[in-house]
Amino acid sequence: MPISECCNIGVVCCKPEDSIPYVAGLMRQYHVGDVVVVRQEGHERIPLGIVTDRDIVVETIAPEVDMGLVTAGDIMSTPLVTVREDEGFAETLRMMREHKIRRLPVVAENGGLRGIVTTEDIINLLTLELSMVSMAMAEQPVAESHLRR
Protein backbone atom coordinates (compact mmCIF):
# COMPACT_ATOMS: atom_id res chain seq x y z
CA MET A 1 0.00 0.00 0.00
CA PRO A 2 1.47 3.39 -0.92
CA ILE A 3 1.84 5.72 2.05
CA SER A 4 -0.29 8.32 0.25
CA GLU A 5 -3.31 6.13 1.05
CA CYS A 6 -2.97 6.64 4.79
CA CYS A 7 -1.44 10.10 5.15
CA ASN A 8 -3.30 13.22 6.26
CA ILE A 9 -3.79 15.56 3.32
CA GLY A 10 -4.86 18.54 5.45
CA VAL A 11 -1.34 19.65 6.35
CA VAL A 12 -1.07 22.86 8.38
CA CYS A 13 1.63 25.03 6.80
CA CYS A 14 3.36 28.35 7.32
CA LYS A 15 6.04 30.45 5.64
CA PRO A 16 9.62 30.70 6.94
CA GLU A 17 9.10 34.35 7.89
CA ASP A 18 6.01 33.68 10.05
CA SER A 19 6.37 34.51 13.73
CA ILE A 20 6.42 31.89 16.47
CA PRO A 21 3.21 33.22 18.08
CA TYR A 22 1.52 32.89 14.67
CA VAL A 23 2.77 29.30 14.28
CA ALA A 24 1.67 28.43 17.83
CA GLY A 25 -1.72 29.93 17.02
CA LEU A 26 -2.01 27.64 13.99
CA MET A 27 -1.22 24.66 16.20
CA ARG A 28 -3.93 25.70 18.65
CA GLN A 29 -6.49 26.49 15.95
CA TYR A 30 -6.03 23.19 14.11
CA HIS A 31 -5.21 21.02 17.17
CA VAL A 32 -1.89 19.81 15.77
CA GLY A 33 1.60 19.44 17.20
CA ASP A 34 3.48 20.44 14.06
CA VAL A 35 3.42 22.94 11.21
CA VAL A 36 5.25 22.31 7.95
CA VAL A 37 7.27 25.31 6.73
CA VAL A 38 6.84 25.73 2.97
CA ARG A 39 7.65 28.00 0.08
CA GLN A 40 5.24 28.44 -2.80
CA GLU A 41 6.43 27.45 -6.28
CA GLY A 42 3.58 28.01 -8.69
CA HIS A 43 0.74 25.84 -7.45
CA GLU A 44 3.01 23.63 -5.35
CA ARG A 45 3.90 23.96 -1.68
CA ILE A 46 7.52 22.86 -1.31
CA PRO A 47 8.34 21.75 2.25
CA LEU A 48 11.47 23.31 3.73
CA GLY A 49 11.28 22.27 7.36
CA ILE A 50 8.96 21.49 10.22
CA VAL A 51 8.23 23.24 13.51
CA THR A 52 6.86 21.16 16.37
CA ASP A 53 5.36 22.24 19.66
CA ARG A 54 8.51 20.85 21.28
CA ASP A 55 10.69 23.06 19.04
CA ILE A 56 8.81 26.11 20.27
CA VAL A 57 9.29 25.15 23.91
CA VAL A 58 12.95 24.14 23.62
CA GLU A 59 14.09 26.90 21.26
CA THR A 60 12.10 29.92 22.50
CA ILE A 61 10.20 29.47 25.75
CA ALA A 62 12.82 27.60 27.83
CA PRO A 63 15.69 29.99 26.99
CA GLU A 64 13.27 32.94 27.38
CA VAL A 65 13.87 34.23 23.86
CA ASP A 66 11.72 37.15 22.70
CA MET A 67 9.31 35.29 20.43
CA GLY A 68 8.69 38.44 18.44
CA LEU A 69 12.26 38.22 17.16
CA VAL A 70 12.17 34.59 16.05
CA THR A 71 10.57 33.12 12.95
CA ALA A 72 9.52 29.64 11.91
CA GLY A 73 12.53 29.56 9.58
CA ASP A 74 14.83 30.21 12.54
CA ILE A 75 13.72 27.18 14.56
CA MET A 76 12.44 24.72 11.94
CA SER A 77 14.04 21.31 11.81
CA THR A 78 16.16 20.96 8.68
CA PRO A 79 17.16 19.24 6.57
CA LEU A 80 13.61 17.98 6.30
CA VAL A 81 13.20 14.24 5.88
CA THR A 82 10.33 13.43 3.52
CA VAL A 83 8.86 10.31 1.95
CA ARG A 84 7.61 10.00 -1.62
CA GLU A 85 3.89 9.41 -1.96
CA ASP A 86 4.42 6.13 -3.80
CA GLU A 87 6.68 4.62 -1.11
CA GLY A 88 5.36 1.68 0.83
CA PHE A 89 4.36 1.40 4.43
CA ALA A 90 7.48 -0.56 5.44
CA GLU A 91 9.86 1.95 3.82
CA THR A 92 8.08 4.81 5.58
CA LEU A 93 8.45 3.09 8.95
CA ARG A 94 12.12 2.36 8.20
CA MET A 95 12.74 6.05 7.48
CA MET A 96 10.98 7.14 10.68
CA ARG A 97 13.02 4.68 12.71
CA GLU A 98 16.31 5.54 10.99
CA HIS A 99 15.86 9.30 11.46
CA LYS A 100 14.17 8.96 14.87
CA ILE A 101 11.19 11.08 13.84
CA ARG A 102 7.45 10.77 14.45
CA ARG A 103 6.17 12.98 11.62
CA LEU A 104 7.03 12.60 7.98
CA PRO A 105 5.83 14.90 5.19
CA VAL A 106 4.68 13.05 2.08
CA VAL A 107 5.77 14.56 -1.23
CA ALA A 108 5.17 14.04 -4.94
CA GLU A 109 7.97 13.28 -7.38
CA ASN A 110 8.32 17.03 -8.06
CA GLY A 111 8.79 17.74 -4.33
CA GLY A 112 5.32 19.20 -3.81
CA LEU A 113 3.67 18.53 -0.44
CA ARG A 114 0.90 15.92 -0.60
CA GLY A 115 0.34 15.11 3.05
CA ILE A 116 1.91 14.11 6.32
CA VAL A 117 2.04 10.77 8.10
CA THR A 118 2.59 10.42 11.83
CA THR A 119 3.28 7.54 14.16
CA GLU A 120 -0.27 8.01 15.47
CA ASP A 121 -1.64 7.48 11.95
CA ILE A 122 0.39 4.29 11.64
CA ILE A 123 -0.69 2.99 15.06
CA ASN A 124 -4.35 3.68 14.20
CA LEU A 125 -4.01 1.88 10.87
CA LEU A 126 -2.24 -1.11 12.43
CA THR A 127 -4.86 -1.28 15.19
CA LEU A 128 -7.63 -1.40 12.61
CA GLU A 129 -5.82 -4.07 10.58
CA LEU A 130 -5.14 -6.20 13.67
CA SER A 131 -8.76 -5.84 14.76
CA MET A 132 -9.94 -7.14 11.39
CA VAL A 133 -7.55 -10.11 11.60
CA SER A 134 -8.74 -10.83 15.14
CA MET A 135 -12.39 -10.73 14.05
CA ALA A 136 -11.67 -13.10 11.17
CA MET A 137 -9.95 -15.52 13.55
CA ALA A 138 -12.83 -15.37 16.02
CA GLU A 139 -15.50 -15.85 13.34
CA GLN A 140 -13.76 -18.70 11.50
CA PRO A 141 -14.77 -21.51 13.92
CA VAL A 142 -18.41 -20.37 13.82
CA ALA A 143 -18.42 -20.30 10.02
CA GLU A 144 -16.80 -23.73 9.89
CA SER A 145 -19.35 -25.20 12.33
CA HIS A 146 -22.18 -24.08 10.02
CA LEU A 147 -20.50 -25.80 7.07
CA ARG A 148 -19.98 -29.09 8.92
CA ARG A 149 -23.52 -29.67 10.21
Side-chain angles (χ1 to χ4, degrees):
M1 162 183 7
I3 201 63
S4 61
E5 289 185 23
C6 68
C7 71
N8 294 311
I9 58 172
V11 183
V12 180
C13 298
C14 72
K15 298 176 289 207
E17 62 271 16
D18 286 336
S19 71
I20 298 308
Y22 175 77
V23 173
L26 288 174
M27 290 179 182
R28 181 177 183 190
Q29 178 181 354
Y30 293 102
H31 308 285
V32 296
D34 62 88
V35 174
V36 177
V37 182
V38 298
R39 78 171 180 272
Q40 199 71 33
E41 280 188 16
H43 297 295
E44 292 288 351
R45 296 176 301 172
I46 307 299
L48 305 173
I50 191 167
V51 175
T52 66
D53 45 9
R54 179 173 169 74
D55 293 330
I56 292 172
V57 169
V58 171
E59 298 295 330
T60 64
I61 295 172
E64 298 180 13
V65 172
D66 180 353
M67 284 192 266
L69 302 175
V70 182
T71 66
D74 294 330
I75 70 165
M76 68 183 180
S77 296
T78 58
L80 183 63
V81 178
T82 61
V83 63
R84 291 251 317 260
E85 64 186 336
D86 57 352
E87 283 292 353
F89 194 74
E91 175 62 13
T92 301
L93 286 174
R94 185 197 65 73
M95 290 177 68
M96 290 175 129
R97 187 178 63 241
E98 177 184 327
H99 295 281
K100 298 170 182 54
I101 54 177
R102 298 183 349 212
R103 301 166 173 101
L104 196 53
V106 178
V107 297
E109 188 173 335
N110 67 1
L113 185 63
R114 294 295 179 261
I116 192 164
V117 65
T118 67
T119 52
E120 285 181 35
D121 299 326
I122 291 170
I123 289 170
N124 289 338
L125 180 64
L126 289 174
T127 300
L128 176 63
E129 296 289 330
L130 287 172
S131 174
M132 292 185 342
V133 168
S134 175
M135 287 181 356
M137 290 171 58
E139 293 169 358
Q140 188 272 332
V142 174
E144 184 176 331
S145 72
H146 289 305
L147 290 172
R148 308 245 185 243
R149 286 187 175 186

